[in-house]
Amino acid sequence: AQSVSQHNHHVILSEAASLELGCNYSYGGTVNLFWYVQYPGQHLQLLLKYFSGDPLVKGIKGFEAEFIKSKFSFNLRKPSVQWSDTAEYFCAVITGGSYIPTFGRGTSLIVHP
Amino acid sequence: DAGVIQSPRHEVTEMGQEVTLRCKPISGHNSLFWYRQTMMRGLELLIYFNNNVPIDDSGMPEDRFSAKMPNASFSTLKIQPSEPRDSAVYFCASSPPPTGPNTEAFFGQGTRLTVV
């Protein structure tokens, strides 16, 4: 079965710092990849997704992610974070033979103003 | 579209009581998921329905948990009897038929369950 690893469980940054959150998955076939964000007390919302084509995907609020197939990775980046980016971030994967998103444990991001 | 609608938003119940969580997926979506979120285990898939049929219920913790989807617009997750360790946020999510790059899951607001 596929799995998703998010290595950073907690990240604390100051405003304007750059962000990179790691995500690795274990599956050798075709994958669809997602990053979701969960603001405090709210539901998960999609930040960006990769299905095919350009491995550099741009999402909402200045976020982007790069799919590196050889590394089984889909890291999330943002050049300059804001206090309002404080949230939990989840990486998810849907593999070729399944319709079920498998989520990583999540990374809690705190941005200090 | 109103999105995925879950009710109640908050539920506090005593141990041993029956709890029923409700979900209305987005119209036209044919996949429905129930997830449980806890600090210790993150987001865990409980059950997956496709076209109202349970396809994967391997994540359902035990017989105390049951889920139904009597039609395309309604699903329930029932816990009977409830226990304190069931305290968590339960999310319902739905997704459209995977005919293209629109297979993302859309989440409801969640039900925060506290069993005392």
Side-chain angles (χ1 to χ4, degrees), chain A residues 36 38 43 46 49 51 101 105, chain B residues 35 37 40 101 103-105 108:
Chain A
Y36 283 83
Q38 184 180 28
H43 63 293
L46 185 71
K49 59 187 177 184
F51 287 83
R105 286 291 307 275
Chain B
Y35 285 89
Q37 185 181 35
M40 294 298 295
T103 54
E104 68 193 74

Side-chain angles (χ1 to χ4, degrees), chain A residues 2-23:
Chain A
Q2 67 272 20
S3 66
V4 180
S5 298
Q6 293 183 241
H7 309 296
N8 316 103
H9 298 297
H10 300 280
V11 174
I12 300 174
L13 295 173
S14 298
E15 276 194 318
S18 65
L19 170 72
E20 180 160 4
L21 302 182
C23 173

Side-chain angles (χ1 to χ4, degrees), chain A residues 63-105:
Chain A
F63 286 91
E64 65 178 31
E66 185 175 13
F67 171 49
I68 303 180
K69 189 174 182 179
S70 61
K71 294 185 178 180
F72 299 91
S73 70
F74 190 56
N75 292 355
L76 181 71
R77 299 194 292 249
K78 185 171 184 178
S80 176
V81 295
Q82 300 172 315
W83 174 78
S84 57
D85 293 324
T86 294
E88 187 123 12
Y89 293 81
F90 293 90
C91 182
V93 63
I94 296 178
T95 57
S98 168
Y99 304 127
I100 302 173
T102 298
F103 285 84
R105 286 291 307 275

Side-chain angles (χ1 to χ4, degrees), chain B residues 45-47 56-61:
Chain B
L45 177 72
L46 298 177
I47 189 167
D56 184 346
D57 65 354
S58 58
M60 295 286 264

